Amino acid sequence: MRIGGPAARAGTTTRTLRYHESRGPLPARRTGNNHRTHEESDLKLLRQIRTLQDFGFEREETRPFVGCLRAGHPKGDACSASLAVYRRELGELDALIGELRAVRASVGEQLARAERARAERARDEPAADAAVSGGPEPVRERGGHR
């Protein structure tokens, strides 16, 4: 079988399939005429790794899920080690969400102070805003999203 077939069935690229063959989680079996051969369980394993990586899991964090599948479980998250990774990841996400909420609150407070000060200046000096150069609003990207 050509490499494109199993890669497409697993929802990944040929480069990713070769990478996982070279790094170990995916067996690199070959037929007598040197064509790759992959079982459905191999493709399930690749799909599991891809899903976890889409979630932001590092390669090392996927190991318990791979081990669970290799042990014959129908899902990579059927084992306690996999559940521990989920719990740890959720804890990290909760901490990040808490940090972002704190930053958002600080930015909101700063905006409110700035708007109050601006309103007070506008009452005292109506022409003050006209003297300030109005350029484009600054844009900041977070997490690859705008």
Side-chain angles (χ1 to χ4, degrees):
M1 178 184 297
R2 301 178 81 86
I3 191 169
R9 287 180 36 221
T12 192
T13 65
T14 56
R15 183 177 178 190
T16 299
L17 193 139
R18 284 186 189 106
Y19 172 81
H20 289 300
E21 283 181 345
S22 71
R23 296 293 181 188
L26 186 66
R29 293 184 296 268
R30 302 247 180 198
T31 63
N33 59 359
N34 206 30
H35 285 104
R36 285 176 170 78
T37 177
H38 293 286
E39 299 172 7
E40 188 57 37
S41 61
D42 299 333
L43 303 181
K44 183 190 273 191
L45 186 123
L46 275 175
R47 285 189 290 269
Q48 176 76 74
I49 292 170
R50 180 167 184 236
T51 298
L52 294 169
Q53 288 176 332
D54 288 348
F55 290 161
F57 287 30
E58 299 294 328
R59 183 171 175 262
E60 189 62 33
E61 293 173 312
T62 67
R63 288 185 190 275
F65 298 87
V66 170
C68 194
L69 285 171
R70 283 195 176 148
H73 294 278
K75 299 275 187 177
D77 58 7
C79 300
S80 59
S82 303
L83 298 176
V85 173
Y86 277 155
R87 285 185 196 99
R88 187 171 53 249
E89 188 68 21
L90 281 175
E92 291 174 15
L93 289 170
D94 288 342
L96 287 171
I97 290 168
E99 290 174 22
L100 286 173
R101 283 188 177 138
V103 169
R104 188 193 187 292
S106 295
V107 170
E109 290 168 7
Q110 191 65 27
L111 173 62
R113 277 193 293 274
E115 287 177 334
R116 283 192 304 274
R118 181 174 185 249
E120 289 172 13
R121 281 193 314 272
R123 277 195 310 267
D124 297 341
E125 304 169 24
D129 269 352
V132 176
S133 168
E137 294 275 333
V139 176
R140 178 168 179 166
E141 294 183 27
R142 285 195 175 84
H145 302 289
R146 289 192 128 175

